[in-house]
Amino acid sequence: MKIWLPLMTVAAAAIAAQQLELPVFTDTTKEAGITFKHSYGDHHMDNIVEGTGSGVCVFDYNGDGLLDIYFVTGTWTKNVSDNEGRDLRGKLSNRLYRNNGNGTFTDVTEAAGVGGKGIFSSGCSAADYDNDGRVDLYVLNYGPNILYHNNGDGTFTDVSEKSGLADPHWSLSAVWFDYNNDGWLDVYVCNYLKYDDGKFRDFYPAQGYPGPLSYEGEPDFLFRNNGDGTFTDVTKEAGLWQPEGRGMSVTAADFNNDGYLDIFVSNDAMENHYFENTGKGTFVEKALQMGVAFGENGQGVSNMGPFPGDINRDGLMDVFIPNLNYCNLLIQGKKGFEYRSDAAGISVMLGQYAGWAGILLDYDNDGWLDIFVSHGNAHHEYVEEATLARNRGDATFYDVSRTSGSYFQDKFVGRGAAWFDYDNDGDVDLVINNLNDFAHLLRNDGGNRANWLVVEPKLKFATGTRDAIGARVTVTTGTLRQIEDMNPGRGYLSQGDARLHFGLGTAAEADSVEIRWPDGSVEKHERVKARQFLKYVHEAKTGGGR
């Protein structure tokens, strides 16, 4: 019985999935016209810069209501790439694909001016930093970062130096939010480590190249938006100074339900950082106190992209973090977080892989968050399959990968990934930026058989209207209460759909939709019909606060 029980469990899960008519993800990359292929700028991966990979960002750059895709890549870089890879010089760049609204995309990189040729890019994020109603683009690089200002005519202007955001460190990730509630979006930049141009060679050869502990860590930075197109480093005065971090990615969420976004940084080969927002322009580091500093058994682990979400629907934000040896599912309780990876059924499911991008998404619109994870070896181009785990509705999961589409049957060296509804049909699609390989666009087919709502809170300024980053939306249907904070900067090196997706299952309407705006005011709507995109606009002002 002990031998056959696991097989019986798998079989039962597969039968249950068929009976439920669960959605599948159809690989539409070719028919969508996406031809992007990632590169680490060389012919052989032999250092930590090349192996870290790159992310992907989705945002509506031209304001037509359709989400576009920005892929970042590595390039041949002096003191990183080998001489034999010099034939790649000038041939690689980041790419912007415009959503045509008919299931296809057009490469508009040159016209938009966002290729960043010659720059080794790791991550990307997007936000309207000047409140003009147009979403700007921030690219995180091995070397100075690039801030592209959206000109509103399909083109961008590089304002990196002028803005003060040309951070020269090796940056991987950035999250935008208004930490001091003055109406201007600030940015927290997550930096990794000081690569030594390949000087350190004392490592186990089978490992491929030295790991993160062979190098000094780097501090992250919080840049305050001055409201005039420039930013000021306020890291130390905000209480965020950590000179020896090895940040892999950063996110922000209102973990303690006080109306202010807190910061969660996942670090590599050391403890994580959790900065609680005091609401007074400062933060307090509480990772150890909250139980999120180390791994489940007290070890420092190789954490990748943190993704917040209310997994058990108890009104508290939890967080899921893939890593190279295991995974961390942290469920928040009244006294902090508890590790629930094993209890949730994902330890065995994910422990055999090296995880990078983890995404919490309600792919079947039943009201419960499911898990997608990209996998791939860290030091070699050894391929692994991705995983899709379905939430049973009680914060436990079972593997539905095998019945969820052809992408999950193949193997890749996975890295960054993002979630978005690119065809605006009410279910969440995926885009993955695999290492040294072609990107993949996965269309969710069948997720919209169940009912859904998409909520888009907006703040209206005198100069334009932008996403209400920091707003919390609560959707109640019967006894199910779902919360989401508007902040698309989640996961590994990437940014997803800023709009908030809620699955309603069989309910024809939500009992209520409540928006808590960044200024603390609350707006509530009752008996909201399902299957619609809702845009709520709130008057805002700069220089204010609560």
Side-chain angles (χ1 to χ4, degrees):
M1 287 297 294
K2 290 183 179 179
I3 296 175
W4 289 104
L5 185 57
L7 296 177
M8 292 169 63
T9 302
V10 171
I15 293 171
Q18 293 174 358
Q19 292 174 342
L20 287 171
E21 289 189 282
L22 293 177
V24 298
F25 285 93
T26 302
D27 192 331
T28 60
T29 313
K30 290 184 179 179
E31 66 187 71
I34 294 176
T35 59
F36 173 80
K37 184 178 182 181
H38 175 267
S39 173
Y40 43 70
D42 208 342
H43 296 304
H44 301 284
M45 186 175 75
D46 57 9
N47 62 65
I48 197 166
V49 179
E50 296 174 347
T52 299
S54 300
V56 54
C57 176
V58 298
F59 69 113
D60 183 5
Y61 89 98
N62 56 356
D64 63 356
L66 301 166
L67 292 178
D68 313 295
I69 309 174
Y70 186 74
F71 295 101
V72 297
T73 185
T75 61
W76 190 91
T77 303
K78 185 178 180 181
N79 297 327
V80 172
S81 311
D82 289 337
N83 287 335
E84 65 177 347
R86 285 181 295 178
D87 62 314
L88 297 175
R89 286 184 297 182
K91 298 180 181 179
L92 304 169
S93 73
N94 304 329
R95 309 305 295 178
L96 175 63
Y97 283 84
R98 184 189 66 220
N99 190 333
N100 299 320
N102 59 0
T104 68
F105 291 77
T106 298
D107 188 333
V108 294
T109 309
E110 274 69 37
V114 292
K117 283 189 176 181
I119 301 296
F120 195 112
S121 297
S122 298
C124 46
S125 64
D128 180 6
Y129 74 87
D130 55 354
N131 294 341
D132 65 354
R134 301 187 290 265
V135 186
D136 310 295
L137 178 64
Y138 193 36
V139 186
L140 295 313
N141 304 312
Y142 179 79
N145 297 332
I146 302 175
L147 178 64
Y148 290 109
H149 177 262
N150 191 329
N151 299 321
D153 59 0
T155 69
F156 293 78
T157 299
D158 185 341
V159 295
S160 311
E161 293 293 338
K162 177 182 176 181
S163 68
L165 290 186
D167 186 343
H169 301 82
W170 180 14
S171 303
L172 298 189
S173 170
V175 63
W176 294 86
F177 69 115
D178 185 4
Y179 86 96
N180 56 357
N181 283 311
D182 65 352
W184 301 98
L185 291 176
D186 315 293
V187 62
Y188 184 101
V189 179
C190 175
N191 294 319
Y192 192 18
L193 50 77
K194 297 177 182 177
Y195 181 61
D196 64 354
D197 301 340
K199 296 183 179 69
F200 182 83
R201 305 305 299 169
D202 186 15
F203 66 98
Y204 180 48
Q207 189 180 9
Y209 54 79
L213 290 177
S214 303
Y215 309 100
E216 293 181 38
E218 291 273 34
D220 299 339
F221 294 95
L222 175 65
F223 293 98
R224 184 188 65 218
N225 191 331
N226 299 321
D228 60 0
T230 68
F231 293 78
T232 298
D233 177 4
V234 294
T235 312
K236 292 182 178 179
E237 65 186 72
L240 295 166
W241 182 247
Q242 298 285 339
E244 288 295 327
R246 291 188 183 87
M248 294 302 290
S249 284
V250 59
T251 190
D254 182 10
F255 287 104
N256 60 350
N257 289 347
D258 65 352
Y260 302 99
L261 295 187
D262 311 297
I263 301 171
F264 195 110
V265 182
S266 58
N267 288 308
D268 195 4
M270 60 175 285
E271 72 274 13
N272 298 320
H273 291 137
Y274 168 77
F275 301 102
E276 192 168 278
N277 192 331
T278 66
K280 300 176 182 179
T282 60
F283 295 80
V284 179
E285 212 290 317
K286 290 187 174 181
L288 190 60
Q289 178 181 332
M290 295 297 290
V292 299
F294 298 100
E296 188 160 359
N297 298 307
Q299 76 276 26
V301 292
S302 300
N303 286 312
M304 297 302 155
F307 203 108
D310 183 7
I311 294 169
N312 58 352
R313 297 306 188 200
D314 66 348
L316 295 171
M317 278 292 180
D318 313 303
V319 63
F320 174 72
I321 316 170
N323 62 60
L324 296 188
N325 304 305
Y326 200 54
C327 64
N328 293 313
L329 183 65
L330 292 154
I331 302 296
Q332 187 178 181
K334 294 181 179 179
K335 297 182 179 180
F337 291 82
E338 295 181 0
Y339 287 88
R340 299 295 299 276
S341 305
D342 186 49
I346 61 174
S347 292
V348 175
M349 193 188 311
L350 300 177
Q352 59 185 309
Y353 301 116
W356 297 85
I359 295 174
L360 298 177
L361 72 164
D362 183 4
Y363 88 105
D364 57 354
N365 281 328
D366 67 349
W368 293 84
L369 293 174
D370 312 297
I371 299 175
F372 168 85
V373 189
S374 66
H375 298 117
N377 190 274
H379 290 253
H380 302 279
E381 292 183 66
Y382 298 160
V383 295
E384 298 177 352
E385 59 264 42
T387 297
L388 182 65
R390 183 174 185 264
N391 193 327
R392 292 188 175 92
D394 59 2
T396 67
F397 298 83
Y398 66 98
D399 194 339
V400 293
S401 307
R402 289 293 177 183
T403 58
S404 296
S406 62
Y407 183 83
F408 296 92
Q409 314 302 317
D410 294 327
K411 297 183 179 183
F412 307 92
V413 187
R415 290 299 188 265
W419 74 101
F420 69 137
D421 185 0
Y422 80 86
D423 50 2
N424 285 343
D425 67 349
D427 49 29
V428 183
D429 313 301
L430 294 167
V431 59
I432 304 105
N433 192 0
N434 291 315
L435 184 78
N436 201 35
D437 202 347
F438 289 99
H440 286 263
L441 178 66
L442 305 183
R443 185 185 65 211
N444 186 331
D445 289 333
N448 56 10
R449 284 194 293 261
N451 288 327
W452 50 271
L453 277 176
V454 176
V455 182
E456 191 174 7
K458 294 281 190 177
L459 288 178
K460 184 179 180 180
F461 297 86
T463 51
T465 300
R466 66 162 171 83
D467 290 334
I469 301 297
R472 167 164 290 187
V473 176
T474 303
V475 173
T476 303
T477 309
T479 59
L480 185 63
R481 185 170 175 265
Q482 305 177 54
I483 64 170
E484 283 288 349
D485 292 336
M486 186 177 227
N487 170 33
R490 310 180 187 188
Y492 184 66
L493 312 183
S494 302
Q495 178 169 308
D497 199 336
R499 302 171 301 181
L500 305 178
H501 294 247
F502 298 90
L504 302 185
T506 59
E509 64 179 20
D511 296 335
S512 66
V513 174
E514 181 180 292
I515 306 100
R516 185 194 66 200
W517 297 99
D519 63 9
S521 62
V522 176
E523 177 180 339
K524 190 172 183 179
H525 302 267
E526 297 183 346
R527 301 194 64 181
V528 179
K529 289 184 179 180
R531 309 185 78 84
Q532 59 176 320
F533 288 80
L534 299 172
K535 184 179 292 186
Y536 296 108
V537 180
H538 184 68
E539 293 288 338
K541 61 181 180 179
T542 56
R546 292 196 178 182

